[in-house]
Amino acid sequence: MNKTLWTFFGTLLFALTTSSASEVTYTALKDWIKESPSSSMRRDQYRLPGSKGAEDATLSVFYFPGTGGSVDSNLQRWYGQFQKKDGSPVTGPETKKEIKANDLPVTIIYVTGTYLESQSPMMTGGPVEKKPGYAMLAAIAESPSGPWFFKATGPQATIDRWRSGFEQFAKTFEAKK
């Protein structure tokens, strides 16, 4: 078969598999500030305002059609982005909760410590900037078309400010075709 025909069938297969994909819709909290995503890998991005002099946090939304890995593999990778005060790696969340949001299974985690912010464009390997006193609130929504990732990182005071609101946000997740 020639290259043109393979390209045609590949494009057709991609169109057929992506047209049935469901989007996950959600409703951000009114005080979160929608921003243009800082990376083409992000579907959406919000700034979560800090309080009492604390810096803002960033909430990033990711979806990788046809890929994305398992919930556990992503959680393990995210834990690896934090260190404890003694410099040892964080190996699990301080809290983990599994909920249903409009029939979508959602896993929510909370982690604190020194955030190892990647300075690499692909966020794997390479140099990191250590940010002590940081936290992460993250959710993975398991949609019919694959996992959606919602990850907020920032100073612990800011993340703690939005902790209960983040769970309310996660409860708005819904798969739409």
Side-chain angles (χ1 to χ4, degrees):
M1 211 177 261
N2 70 29
K3 185 177 178 181
T4 304
L5 200 50
W6 276 115
T7 303
F8 169 77
F9 284 121
T11 303
L12 180 61
L13 180 60
F14 179 77
L16 290 173
T17 57
T18 57
S19 66
S20 64
S22 58
E23 291 279 318
V24 170
T25 61
Y26 43 88
T27 303
L29 299 183
K30 67 179 179 72
D31 292 330
W32 293 357
I33 301 157
K34 188 169 176 63
E35 299 181 324
S36 295
S38 63
S39 162
S40 61
M41 293 175 60
R42 295 179 180 190
R43 294 287 290 236
D44 221 345
Q45 182 172 309
Y46 294 88
R47 184 165 38 92
L48 284 54
S51 63
K52 300 178 187 172
E55 292 178 25
D56 296 343
T58 300
L59 169 66
S60 304
V61 179
F62 301 91
Y63 171 66
F64 307 105
T67 66
S70 70
V71 170
D72 286 335
S73 67
N74 281 282
L75 294 178
Q76 292 304 315
R77 184 173 46 78
W78 290 348
Y79 303 151
Q81 295 173 346
F82 279 81
Q83 289 179 337
K84 298 177 187 176
K85 286 183 180 181
D86 65 6
S88 64
V90 168
T91 57
E94 291 187 28
T95 61
K96 179 179 177 181
K97 184 182 274 189
E98 295 177 357
I99 65 168
K100 284 277 191 181
N102 300 300
D103 293 325
L104 285 179
V106 178
T107 302
I108 302 171
I109 62 159
Y110 173 75
V111 176
T112 62
T114 297
Y115 179 48
L116 306 175
E117 183 178 46
S118 176
Q119 302 301 295
S120 169
M122 293 306 290
M123 298 186 295
T124 57
V128 296
E129 180 181 347
K130 292 185 176 188
K131 295 187 170 188
Y134 261 54
M136 173 177 54
L137 270 170
I140 299 176
E142 299 176 65
S143 83
S145 60
W148 283 66
F149 307 98
F150 302 82
K151 182 179 168 191
T153 54
Q156 185 174 349
T158 302
I159 294 295
D160 286 351
R161 174 182 183 206
W162 296 108
R163 202 164 167 188
S164 65
F166 188 87
E167 186 170 334
Q168 295 307 310
F169 165 67
K171 289 178 180 177
T172 71
F173 298 170
E174 186 171 6
K176 299 277 185 175
K177 280 206 175 199

PDB file of all heavy atoms in Angstrom, residues 136-160:
ATOM      1  N   MET A 136       0.233  20.514  46.700  1.00  0.00           N
ATOM      2  CA  MET A 136      -0.454  20.174  45.462  1.00  0.00           C
ATOM      3  C   MET A 136      -1.818  19.588  45.807  1.00  0.00           C
ATOM      4  O   MET A 136      -1.942  18.734  46.683  1.00  0.00           O
ATOM      5  CB  MET A 136       0.345  19.138  44.668  1.00  0.00           C
ATOM      6  CG  MET A 136      -0.391  18.618  43.449  1.00  0.00           C
ATOM      7  SD  MET A 136       0.553  17.439  42.426  1.00  0.00           S
ATOM      8  CE  MET A 136       1.043  16.223  43.613  1.00  0.00           C
ATOM      9  N   LEU A 137      -2.821  20.076  45.119  1.00  0.00           N
ATOM     10  CA  LEU A 137      -4.152  19.477  45.103  1.00  0.00           C
ATOM     11  C   LEU A 137      -4.339  18.990  43.681  1.00  0.00           C
ATOM     12  O   LEU A 137      -4.139  19.758  42.734  1.00  0.00           O
ATOM     13  CB  LEU A 137      -5.225  20.524  45.398  1.00  0.00           C
ATOM     14  CG  LEU A 137      -5.628  20.757  46.822  1.00  0.00           C
ATOM     15  CD1 LEU A 137      -6.523  21.990  46.918  1.00  0.00           C
ATOM     16  CD2 LEU A 137      -6.333  19.548  47.407  1.00  0.00           C
ATOM     17  N   ALA A 138      -4.673  17.741  43.513  1.00  0.00           N
ATOM     18  CA  ALA A 138      -4.812  17.214  42.167  1.00  0.00           C
ATOM     19  C   ALA A 138      -5.982  16.260  42.096  1.00  0.00           C
ATOM     20  O   ALA A 138      -6.339  15.615  43.087  1.00  0.00           O
ATOM     21  CB  ALA A 138      -3.524  16.515  41.744  1.00  0.00           C
ATOM     22  N   ALA A 139      -6.572  16.181  40.915  1.00  0.00           N
ATOM     23  CA  ALA A 139      -7.680  15.257  40.677  1.00  0.00           C
ATOM     24  C   ALA A 139      -7.475  14.607  39.317  1.00  0.00           C
ATOM     25  O   ALA A 139      -7.004  15.245  38.377  1.00  0.00           O
ATOM     26  CB  ALA A 139      -9.012  15.998  40.710  1.00  0.00           C
ATOM     27  N   ILE A 140      -7.838  13.340  39.260  1.00  0.00           N
ATOM     28  CA  ILE A 140      -7.845  12.621  37.984  1.00  0.00           C
ATOM     29  C   ILE A 140      -9.266  12.123  37.774  1.00  0.00           C
ATOM     30  O   ILE A 140      -9.804  11.377  38.605  1.00  0.00           O
ATOM     31  CB  ILE A 140      -6.855  11.446  37.988  1.00  0.00           C
ATOM     32  CG1 ILE A 140      -5.426  11.957  38.218  1.00  0.00           C
ATOM     33  CG2 ILE A 140      -6.943  10.681  36.659  1.00  0.00           C
ATOM     34  CD1 ILE A 140      -4.376  10.876  38.343  1.00  0.00           C
ATOM     35  N   ALA A 141      -9.876  12.573  36.677  1.00  0.00           N
ATOM     36  CA  ALA A 141     -11.228  12.155  36.317  1.00  0.00           C
ATOM     37  C   ALA A 141     -11.113  11.088  35.233  1.00  0.00           C
ATOM     38  O   ALA A 141     -10.493  11.321  34.198  1.00  0.00           O
ATOM     39  CB  ALA A 141     -12.043  13.342  35.805  1.00  0.00           C
ATOM     40  N   GLU A 142     -11.684   9.925  35.489  1.00  0.00           N
ATOM     41  CA  GLU A 142     -11.600   8.807  34.549  1.00  0.00           C
ATOM     42  C   GLU A 142     -12.799   8.840  33.604  1.00  0.00           C
ATOM     43  O   GLU A 142     -13.832   8.244  33.875  1.00  0.00           O
ATOM     44  CB  GLU A 142     -11.535   7.493  35.317  1.00  0.00           C
ATOM     45  CG  GLU A 142     -10.311   7.399  36.214  1.00  0.00           C
ATOM     46  CD  GLU A 142     -10.304   6.132  37.041  1.00  0.00           C
ATOM     47  OE1 GLU A 142     -10.206   5.040  36.444  1.00  0.00           O
ATOM     48  OE2 GLU A 142     -10.419   6.256  38.274  1.00  0.00           O
ATOM     49  N   SER A 143     -12.630   9.547  32.474  1.00  0.00           N
ATOM     50  CA  SER A 143     -13.721   9.676  31.507  1.00  0.00           C
ATOM     51  C   SER A 143     -13.720   8.469  30.565  1.00  0.00           C
ATOM     52  O   SER A 143     -12.727   7.754  30.467  1.00  0.00           O
ATOM     53  CB  SER A 143     -13.569  10.971  30.703  1.00  0.00           C
ATOM     54  OG  SER A 143     -12.675  10.804  29.625  1.00  0.00           O
ATOM     55  N   PRO A 144     -14.825   8.259  29.839  1.00  0.00           N
ATOM     56  CA  PRO A 144     -14.873   7.148  28.877  1.00  0.00           C
ATOM     57  C   PRO A 144     -13.780   7.241  27.811  1.00  0.00           C
ATOM     58  O   PRO A 144     -13.368   6.228  27.258  1.00  0.00           O
ATOM     59  CB  PRO A 144     -16.264   7.277  28.247  1.00  0.00           C
ATOM     60  CG  PRO A 144     -17.079   8.002  29.276  1.00  0.00           C
ATOM     61  CD  PRO A 144     -16.113   8.940  29.951  1.00  0.00           C
ATOM     62  N   SER A 145     -13.291   8.436  27.514  1.00  0.00           N
ATOM     63  CA  SER A 145     -12.264   8.601  26.478  1.00  0.00           C
ATOM     64  C   SER A 145     -10.857   8.718  27.049  1.00  0.00           C
ATOM     65  O   SER A 145      -9.912   8.989  26.321  1.00  0.00           O
ATOM     66  CB  SER A 145     -12.578   9.824  25.613  1.00  0.00           C
ATOM     67  OG  SER A 145     -12.606  10.987  26.401  1.00  0.00           O
ATOM     68  N   GLY A 146     -10.719   8.512  28.357  1.00  0.00           N
ATOM     69  CA  GLY A 146      -9.402   8.563  28.973  1.00  0.00           C
ATOM     70  C   GLY A 146      -9.360   9.535  30.133  1.00  0.00           C
ATOM     71  O   GLY A 146     -10.294  10.306  30.364  1.00  0.00           O
ATOM     72  N   PRO A 147      -8.255   9.513  30.878  1.00  0.00           N
ATOM     73  CA  PRO A 147      -8.160  10.353  32.074  1.00  0.00           C
ATOM     74  C   PRO A 147      -7.948  11.837  31.761  1.00  0.00           C
ATOM     75  O   PRO A 147      -7.260  12.189  30.809  1.00  0.00           O
ATOM     76  CB  PRO A 147      -6.948   9.782  32.818  1.00  0.00           C
ATOM     77  CG  PRO A 147      -6.127   9.126  31.763  1.00  0.00           C
ATOM     78  CD  PRO A 147      -7.076   8.650  30.712  1.00  0.00           C
ATOM     79  N   TRP A 148      -8.562  12.663  32.577  1.00  0.00           N
ATOM     80  CA  TRP A 148      -8.348  14.111  32.573  1.00  0.00           C
ATOM     81  C   TRP A 148      -7.636  14.438  33.875  1.00  0.00           C
ATOM     82  O   TRP A 148      -7.980  13.909  34.933  1.00  0.00           O
ATOM     83  CB  TRP A 148      -9.678  14.853  32.503  1.00  0.00           C
ATOM     84  CG  TRP A 148     -10.279  14.869  31.123  1.00  0.00           C
ATOM     85  CD1 TRP A 148     -10.746  13.798  30.417  1.00  0.00           C
ATOM     86  CD2 TRP A 148     -10.460  16.009  30.298  1.00  0.00           C
ATOM     87  NE1 TRP A 148     -11.210  14.207  29.202  1.00  0.00           N
ATOM     88  CE2 TRP A 148     -11.060  15.561  29.094  1.00  0.00           C
ATOM     89  CE3 TRP A 148     -10.196  17.365  30.449  1.00  0.00           C
ATOM     90  CZ2 TRP A 148     -11.389  16.423  28.056  1.00  0.00           C
ATOM     91  CZ3 TRP A 148     -10.528  18.230  29.418  1.00  0.00           C
ATOM     92  CH2 TRP A 148     -11.110  17.755  28.236  1.00  0.00           C
ATOM     93  N   PHE A 149      -6.659  15.331  33.797  1.00  0.00           N
ATOM     94  CA  PHE A 149      -5.801  15.644  34.933  1.00  0.00           C
ATOM     95  C   PHE A 149      -5.976  17.108  35.324  1.00  0.00           C
ATOM     96  O   PHE A 149      -5.882  18.002  34.474  1.00  0.00           O
ATOM     97  CB  PHE A 149      -4.336  15.381  34.574  1.00  0.00           C
ATOM     98  CG  PHE A 149      -4.105  13.992  34.039  1.00  0.00           C
ATOM     99  CD1 PHE A 149      -4.036  13.758  32.684  1.00  0.00           C
ATOM    100  CD2 PHE A 149      -3.976  12.921  34.907  1.00  0.00           C
ATOM    101  CE1 PHE A 149      -3.832  12.480  32.177  1.00  0.00           C
ATOM    102  CE2 PHE A 149      -3.773  11.636  34.420  1.00  0.00           C
ATOM    103  CZ  PHE A 149      -3.701  11.417  33.053  1.00  0.00           C
ATOM    104  N   PHE A 150      -6.205  17.345  36.605  1.00  0.00           N
ATOM    105  CA  PHE A 150      -6.386  18.686  37.162  1.00  0.00           C
ATOM    106  C   PHE A 150      -5.380  18.819  38.294  1.00  0.00           C
ATOM    107  O   PHE A 150      -5.483  18.114  39.299  1.00  0.00           O
ATOM    108  CB  PHE A 150      -7.813  18.847  37.695  1.00  0.00           C
ATOM    109  CG  PHE A 150      -8.875  18.623  36.653  1.00  0.00           C
ATOM    110  CD1 PHE A 150      -9.283  17.330  36.322  1.00  0.00           C
ATOM    111  CD2 PHE A 150      -9.451  19.689  35.995  1.00  0.00           C
ATOM    112  CE1 PHE A 150     -10.259  17.108  35.356  1.00  0.00           C
ATOM    113  CE2 PHE A 150     -10.432  19.482  35.025  1.00  0.00           C
ATOM    114  CZ  PHE A 150     -10.835  18.188  34.706  1.00  0.00           C
ATOM    115  N   LYS A 151      -4.408  19.709  38.136  1.00  0.00           N
ATOM    116  CA  LYS A 151      -3.296  19.757  39.090  1.00  0.00           C
ATOM    117  C   LYS A 151      -3.032  21.200  39.506  1.00  0.00           C
ATOM    118  O   LYS A 151      -2.674  22.040  38.684  1.00  0.00           O
ATOM    119  CB  LYS A 151      -2.059  19.154  38.421  1.00  0.00           C
ATOM    120  CG  LYS A 151      -0.850  19.081  39.301  1.00  0.00           C
ATOM    121  CD  LYS A 151       0.292  18.433  38.520  1.00  0.00           C
ATOM    122  CE  LYS A 151       1.600  18.598  39.222  1.00  0.00           C
ATOM    123  NZ  LYS A 151       2.733  18.214  38.387  1.00  0.00           N
ATOM    124  N   ALA A 152      -3.225  21.476  40.792  1.00  0.00           N
ATOM    125  CA  ALA A 152      -2.959  22.807  41.347  1.00  0.00           C
ATOM    126  C   ALA A 152      -1.721  22.723  42.234  1.00  0.00           C
ATOM    127  O   ALA A 152      -1.652  21.887  43.141  1.00  0.00           O
ATOM    128  CB  ALA A 152      -4.150  23.300  42.165  1.00  0.00           C
ATOM    129  N   THR A 153      -0.744  23.574  41.966  1.00  0.00           N
ATOM    130  CA  THR A 153       0.458  23.650  42.797  1.00  0.00           C
ATOM    131  C   THR A 153       0.705  25.101  43.162  1.00  0.00           C
ATOM    132  O   THR A 153       0.418  26.016  42.391  1.00  0.00           O
ATOM    133  CB  THR A 153       1.711  23.100  42.074  1.00  0.00           C
ATOM    134  OG1 THR A 153       1.859  23.771  40.825  1.00  0.00           O
ATOM    135  CG2 THR A 153       1.596  21.604  41.841  1.00  0.00           C
ATOM    136  N   GLY A 154       1.245  25.280  44.370  1.00  0.00           N
ATOM    137  CA  GLY A 154       1.564  26.624  44.830  1.00  0.00           C
ATOM    138  C   GLY A 154       1.941  26.586  46.298  1.00  0.00           C
ATOM    139  O   GLY A 154       2.026  25.516  46.910  1.00  0.00           O
ATOM    140  N   PRO A 155       2.158  27.764  46.873  1.00  0.00           N
ATOM    141  CA  PRO A 155       2.475  27.819  48.306  1.00  0.00           C
ATOM    142  C   PRO A 155       1.380  27.114  49.112  1.00  0.00           C
ATOM    143  O   PRO A 155       0.191  27.209  48.791  1.00  0.00           O
ATOM    144  CB  PRO A 155       2.511  29.311  48.606  1.00  0.00           C
ATOM    145  CG  PRO A 155       2.796  29.956  47.282  1.00  0.00           C
ATOM    146  CD  PRO A 155       2.112  29.089  46.268  1.00  0.00           C
ATOM    147  N   GLN A 156       1.795  26.405  50.156  1.00  0.00           N
ATOM    148  CA  GLN A 156       0.835  25.639  50.938  1.00  0.00           C
ATOM    149  C   GLN A 156      -0.301  26.509  51.464  1.00  0.00           C
ATOM    150  O   GLN A 156      -1.460  26.083  51.465  1.00  0.00           O
ATOM    151  CB  GLN A 156       1.529  24.906  52.086  1.00  0.00           C
ATOM    152  CG  GLN A 156       0.573  24.001  52.837  1.00  0.00           C
ATOM    153  CD  GLN A 156       1.246  23.153  53.900  1.00  0.00           C
ATOM    154  OE1 GLN A 156       2.466  23.069  53.978  1.00  0.00           O
ATOM    155  NE2 GLN A 156       0.440  22.513  54.728  1.00  0.00           N
ATOM    156  N   ALA A 157       0.001  27.730  51.881  1.00  0.00           N
ATOM    157  CA  ALA A 157      -1.063  28.609  52.402  1.00  0.00           C
ATOM    158  C   ALA A 157      -2.128  28.869  51.334  1.00  0.00           C
ATOM    159  O   ALA A 157      -3.329  28.900  51.641  1.00  0.00           O
ATOM    160  CB  ALA A 157      -0.462  29.928  52.891  1.00  0.00           C
ATOM    161  N   THR A 158      -1.709  29.037  50.098  1.00  0.00           N
ATOM    162  CA  THR A 158      -2.663  29.290  49.013  1.00  0.00           C
ATOM    163  C   THR A 158      -3.454  28.033  48.688  1.00  0.00           C
ATOM    164  O   THR A 158      -4.680  28.070  48.554  1.00  0.00           O
ATOM    165  CB  THR A 158      -1.928  29.807  47.761  1.00  0.00           C
ATOM    166  OG1 THR A 158      -1.223  31.002  48.102  1.00  0.00           O
ATOM    167  CG2 THR A 158      -2.894  30.095  46.625  1.00  0.00           C
ATOM    168  N   ILE A 159      -2.762  26.903  48.566  1.00  0.00           N
ATOM    169  CA  ILE A 159      -3.456  25.645  48.270  1.00  0.00           C
ATOM    170  C   ILE A 159      -4.440  25.314  49.395  1.00  0.00           C
ATOM    171  O   ILE A 159      -5.587  24.926  49.136  1.00  0.00           O
ATOM    172  CB  ILE A 159      -2.443  24.497  48.053  1.00  0.00           C
ATOM    173  CG1 ILE A 159      -1.616  24.746  46.784  1.00  0.00           C
ATOM    174  CG2 ILE A 159      -3.149  23.144  47.999  1.00  0.00           C
ATOM    175  CD1 ILE A 159      -2.382  24.741  45.481  1.00  0.00           C
ATOM    176  N   ASP A 160      -4.028  25.514  50.643  1.00  0.00           N
ATOM    177  CA  ASP A 160      -4.922  25.238  51.776  1.00  0.00           C
ATOM    178  C   ASP A 160      -6.158  26.132  51.733  1.00  0.00           C
ATOM    179  O   ASP A 160      -7.253  25.706  52.105  1.00  0.00           O
ATOM    180  CB  ASP A 160      -4.186  25.398  53.099  1.00  0.00           C
ATOM    181  CG  ASP A 160      -3.215  24.254  53.378  1.00  0.00           C
ATOM    182  OD1 ASP A 160      -3.224  23.253  52.634  1.00  0.00           O
ATOM    183  OD2 ASP A 160      -2.435  24.375  54.343  1.00  0.00           O
TER     184      ASP A 160
END
